Amino acid sequence: RTECDSYLWNDSTYTETGDYVYSYTNGNGCPSADTLHLTIVASTHNSYDSTACESYTWHGVTYSTSGTYVYTYTNGNGCASADTMNLTINYGTHNVLRDTACDTYTWHEVEYTTSGTKLYSYTNANGCASVDTLFLVIKASTHNSVTRTECDSYLWNDSTYTETGDYVYSYTNGNGCPSADTLHLTIVASTHNSYDSTACESYTWHGVTYTTTGTY
């Protein structure tokens, strides 16, 4: 006989290849002996520990959750066999972020200056390919520049300036962003001369004739 793993013969179980003798008294009352020429062939019972990201395909079946799975088959010895796989499934990371910034935004060491959907690809702590998504809104701050030439003084944003120079007005604009306007101001002086004059009968000044004393 050729058997898989073990063989029960005359109330005895044999697990090794060999020749076995069974002695008994037959129906005639005579001492008798039967001989078993036994070949034991092994079934297969492999065990695997596997780790994968997202899914794992084993013997044509795709698994997406961790667990213990069994595959049954007939091995090369013609014996019913079963392999066991202890499977751990890890998953990638897919975080979603929403943020708003003024002018620029730095995410994972990359500076963005426009609104839009930004992606960051990486390998997470489980060793799985991962992608984070950022929905970004960029709002603009305001930086106006004004150049003015004025006589004596200039009123700008509730402040009066009397000297030439560059002046900055800081504020928060309608987008909620810190902003700054710059005034390039040139102050030129008006003229204020004072004269004391005395004349007889009349006096002509800048084309106008005055006949009475006074301040003009």
Side-chain angles (χ1 to χ4, degrees), residues 146-156 161-164 183-190:
V146 180
T147 301
R148 296 297 297 262
T149 298
E150 298 291 334
C151 294
D152 299 329
S153 66
Y154 182 64
L155 177 64
W156 186 59
Y161 301 92
T162 59
E163 295 183 0
T164 296
L183 170 65
H184 305 286
L185 178 62
T186 300
I187 294 292
V188 293
S190 57

Side-chain angles (χ1 to χ4, degrees), residues 34-50:
D34 291 347
T35 301
L36 170 67
H37 304 286
L38 178 64
T39 300
I40 294 292
V41 292
S43 59
T44 304
H45 299 280
N46 296 314
S47 180
Y48 305 94
D49 294 319
S50 298

Side-chain angles (χ1 to χ4, degrees), residues 9-10 20-26 30-36:
W9 185 57
N10 293 313
Y20 298 96
V21 176
Y22 174 64
S23 298
Y24 59 100
T25 299
N26 69 9
C30 296
S32 301
D34 291 347
T35 301
L36 170 67

Side-chain angles (χ1 to χ4, degrees), residues 100-103 137-142 171-179:
T100 300
C102 293
D103 298 327
V137 176
I138 293 292
K139 294 183 177 181
S141 57
T142 304
Y171 59 99
T172 299
N173 69 5
N175 292 329
C177 294
S179 300

Side-chain angles (χ1 to χ4, degrees), residues 164-211:
T164 296
D166 294 331
Y167 300 95
V168 177
Y169 172 66
S170 299
Y171 59 99
T172 299
N173 69 5
N175 292 329
C177 294
S179 300
D181 291 348
T182 301
L183 170 65
H184 305 286
L185 178 62
T186 300
I187 294 292
V188 293
S190 57
T191 303
H192 300 281
N193 295 317
S194 179
Y195 303 95
D196 294 320
S197 297
T198 302
C200 294
E201 308 299 340
S202 65
Y203 186 78
T204 299
W205 189 48
H206 295 295
V208 179
T209 300
Y210 302 90
T211 58

